[in-house]
Short mmCIF file of all heavy atoms in Angstrom, two decimals:
data_model
loop_
_atom_site.label_atom_id
_atom_site.label_comp_id
_atom_site.label_asym_id
_atom_site.label_seq_id
_atom_site.Cartn_x
_atom_site.Cartn_y
_atom_site.Cartn_z
N ALA A 684 98.05 84.12 113.01
CA ALA A 684 99.09 85.17 113.04
C ALA A 684 100.23 84.82 112.08
O ALA A 684 100.71 85.68 111.35
CB ALA A 684 99.64 85.36 114.47
N VAL A 685 100.68 83.55 112.12
CA VAL A 685 101.76 83.13 111.25
C VAL A 685 101.36 83.21 109.75
O VAL A 685 102.07 83.76 108.92
CB VAL A 685 102.24 81.66 111.57
CG1 VAL A 685 103.15 81.13 110.49
CG2 VAL A 685 102.88 81.64 112.96
N ALA A 686 100.13 82.69 109.50
CA ALA A 686 99.65 82.72 108.10
C ALA A 686 99.46 84.15 107.59
O ALA A 686 99.88 84.57 106.53
CB ALA A 686 98.34 81.93 107.96
N GLY A 687 98.80 84.95 108.45
CA GLY A 687 98.49 86.34 108.03
C GLY A 687 99.74 87.19 107.91
O GLY A 687 99.89 87.94 106.94
N MET A 688 100.67 87.09 108.85
CA MET A 688 101.87 87.92 108.80
C MET A 688 102.85 87.47 107.73
O MET A 688 103.56 88.30 107.15
CB MET A 688 102.54 87.93 110.18
CG MET A 688 101.79 88.71 111.24
SD MET A 688 102.65 88.88 112.79
CE MET A 688 101.47 89.76 113.79
N THR A 689 102.86 86.14 107.45
CA THR A 689 103.71 85.69 106.32
C THR A 689 103.18 86.25 105.00
O THR A 689 103.96 86.72 104.18
CB THR A 689 103.75 84.14 106.26
OG1 THR A 689 104.23 83.66 107.52
CG2 THR A 689 104.65 83.66 105.15
N GLY A 690 101.83 86.17 104.86
CA GLY A 690 101.27 86.76 103.67
C GLY A 690 101.47 88.24 103.59
O GLY A 690 101.77 88.79 102.52
N TYR A 691 101.36 88.90 104.70
CA TYR A 691 101.55 90.39 104.75
C TYR A 691 102.99 90.74 104.42
O TYR A 691 103.23 91.69 103.65
CB TYR A 691 101.21 90.86 106.16
CG TYR A 691 101.29 92.37 106.35
CD1 TYR A 691 100.43 93.21 105.59
CD2 TYR A 691 102.17 92.96 107.23
CE1 TYR A 691 100.51 94.62 105.73
CE2 TYR A 691 102.24 94.35 107.42
CZ TYR A 691 101.41 95.16 106.67
OH TYR A 691 101.44 96.50 106.82
N LEU A 692 103.97 89.99 104.93
CA LEU A 692 105.37 90.21 104.59
C LEU A 692 105.57 90.07 103.07
O LEU A 692 106.25 90.97 102.46
CB LEU A 692 106.28 89.23 105.35
CG LEU A 692 107.77 89.28 105.01
CD1 LEU A 692 108.36 90.59 105.43
CD2 LEU A 692 108.50 88.13 105.64
N THR A 693 105.10 89.01 102.54
CA THR A 693 105.26 88.78 101.07
C THR A 693 104.67 89.93 100.25
O THR A 693 105.27 90.42 99.32
CB THR A 693 104.58 87.44 100.68
OG1 THR A 693 105.12 86.39 101.45
CG2 THR A 693 104.82 87.11 99.19
N SER A 694 103.46 90.33 100.58
CA SER A 694 102.79 91.40 99.83
C SER A 694 103.47 92.71 99.99
O SER A 694 103.63 93.51 99.05
CB SER A 694 101.29 91.51 100.21
OG SER A 694 101.17 91.93 101.55
N GLN A 695 103.94 93.03 101.22
CA GLN A 695 104.62 94.28 101.45
C GLN A 695 106.00 94.38 100.74
O GLN A 695 106.36 95.47 100.27
CB GLN A 695 104.79 94.57 102.98
CG GLN A 695 103.50 94.85 103.69
CD GLN A 695 102.75 96.05 103.09
OE1 GLN A 695 101.82 95.87 102.36
NE2 GLN A 695 103.23 97.27 103.42
N ILE A 696 106.68 93.27 100.68
CA ILE A 696 107.95 93.24 99.96
C ILE A 696 107.67 93.51 98.49
O ILE A 696 108.41 94.27 97.77
CB ILE A 696 108.70 91.89 100.15
CG1 ILE A 696 109.21 91.81 101.59
CG2 ILE A 696 109.83 91.78 99.14
CD1 ILE A 696 109.85 90.48 101.90
N SER A 697 106.59 92.94 97.93
CA SER A 697 106.22 93.19 96.54
C SER A 697 105.88 94.64 96.31
O SER A 697 106.29 95.25 95.29
CB SER A 697 105.02 92.32 96.12
OG SER A 697 105.35 90.94 96.24
N VAL A 698 105.12 95.24 97.23
CA VAL A 698 104.77 96.63 97.13
C VAL A 698 106.00 97.54 97.10
O VAL A 698 106.15 98.42 96.30
CB VAL A 698 103.81 97.03 98.25
CG1 VAL A 698 103.64 98.58 98.34
CG2 VAL A 698 102.45 96.36 98.08
N HIS A 699 106.90 97.29 98.04
CA HIS A 699 108.10 98.14 98.16
C HIS A 699 109.02 97.94 96.97
O HIS A 699 109.77 98.84 96.59
CB HIS A 699 108.81 97.87 99.50
CG HIS A 699 108.08 98.35 100.68
ND1 HIS A 699 107.66 99.65 100.86
CD2 HIS A 699 107.63 97.67 101.81
CE1 HIS A 699 107.00 99.74 102.00
NE2 HIS A 699 106.98 98.58 102.60
N THR A 700 109.06 96.70 96.45
CA THR A 700 109.86 96.44 95.28
C THR A 700 109.44 97.27 94.07
O THR A 700 110.27 97.84 93.36
CB THR A 700 109.85 94.93 94.91
OG1 THR A 700 110.34 94.13 96.00
CG2 THR A 700 110.69 94.66 93.68
N LYS A 701 108.13 97.39 93.90
CA LYS A 701 107.56 98.19 92.82
C LYS A 701 107.86 99.65 92.99
O LYS A 701 108.01 100.43 92.04
CB LYS A 701 106.06 97.98 92.71
CG LYS A 701 105.71 96.54 92.26
CD LYS A 701 104.18 96.36 92.27
CE LYS A 701 103.82 94.92 91.86
NZ LYS A 701 102.36 94.66 91.97
N GLU A 702 107.94 100.06 94.26
CA GLU A 702 108.19 101.47 94.59
C GLU A 702 109.66 101.88 94.37
O GLU A 702 109.98 103.07 94.23
CB GLU A 702 107.81 101.80 96.04
CG GLU A 702 106.31 101.69 96.27
CD GLU A 702 105.96 101.80 97.74
OE1 GLU A 702 106.88 101.84 98.59
OE2 GLU A 702 104.75 101.91 98.05
N LEU A 703 110.56 100.91 94.35
CA LEU A 703 111.99 101.22 94.20
C LEU A 703 112.26 101.76 92.80
O LEU A 703 111.69 101.32 91.81
CB LEU A 703 112.85 99.93 94.37
CG LEU A 703 113.07 99.46 95.84
CD1 LEU A 703 113.83 98.14 95.81
CD2 LEU A 703 113.84 100.54 96.64
N THR A 704 113.14 102.73 92.76
CA THR A 704 113.58 103.22 91.45
C THR A 704 114.49 102.20 90.80
O THR A 704 115.07 101.35 91.47
CB THR A 704 114.30 104.57 91.58
OG1 THR A 704 115.39 104.37 92.46
CG2 THR A 704 113.41 105.65 92.15
N GLU A 705 114.65 102.32 89.51
CA GLU A 705 115.51 101.35 88.79
C GLU A 705 116.92 101.43 89.34
O GLU A 705 117.50 102.50 89.50
CB GLU A 705 115.49 101.73 87.30
CG GLU A 705 116.18 100.66 86.45
CD GLU A 705 116.04 100.93 84.97
OE1 GLU A 705 115.16 101.74 84.60
OE2 GLU A 705 116.82 100.39 84.18
N GLY A 706 117.46 100.23 89.60
CA GLY A 706 118.85 100.18 90.11
C GLY A 706 118.89 100.24 91.64
O GLY A 706 119.96 100.22 92.21
N GLY A 707 117.72 100.29 92.28
CA GLY A 707 117.67 100.31 93.73
C GLY A 707 118.04 98.95 94.33
O GLY A 707 118.02 97.92 93.65
N ASN A 708 118.45 98.97 95.60
CA ASN A 708 118.84 97.75 96.26
C ASN A 708 117.62 96.92 96.63
O ASN A 708 116.76 97.35 97.41
CB ASN A 708 119.64 98.11 97.52
CG ASN A 708 120.19 96.88 98.23
OD1 ASN A 708 119.91 95.73 97.80
ND2 ASN A 708 120.88 97.10 99.34
N PRO A 709 117.47 95.65 96.06
CA PRO A 709 116.30 94.86 96.38
C PRO A 709 116.20 94.50 97.83
O PRO A 709 115.14 94.24 98.40
CB PRO A 709 116.51 93.60 95.52
CG PRO A 709 117.93 93.58 95.15
CD PRO A 709 118.38 95.02 95.11
N LEU A 710 117.38 94.49 98.57
CA LEU A 710 117.35 94.18 99.99
C LEU A 710 116.56 95.28 100.72
O LEU A 710 115.94 95.00 101.74
CB LEU A 710 118.76 94.14 100.54
CG LEU A 710 119.50 92.78 100.47
CD1 LEU A 710 120.86 92.87 101.13
CD2 LEU A 710 118.70 91.70 101.14
N ALA A 711 116.60 96.47 100.21
CA ALA A 711 115.91 97.59 100.87
C ALA A 711 114.41 97.35 100.91
O ALA A 711 113.75 97.63 101.90
CB ALA A 711 116.22 98.89 100.16
#
């Protein structure tokens, strides 16, 4: 669970970062 969810968090943050428009808040 720890390994899988840590990996899932990392990948989902990357996915959402790419979806952000230029100038968007990286915290979002």
Side-chain angles (χ1 to χ4, degrees):
V685 170
M688 289 187 182
T689 302
Y691 184 62
L692 174 66
T693 304
S694 66
Q695 289 304 101
I696 290 176
S697 298
V698 168
H699 292 305
T700 300
K701 293 175 183 176
E702 293 173 351
L703 282 175
T704 57
E705 189 174 342
N708 183 0
L710 274 182

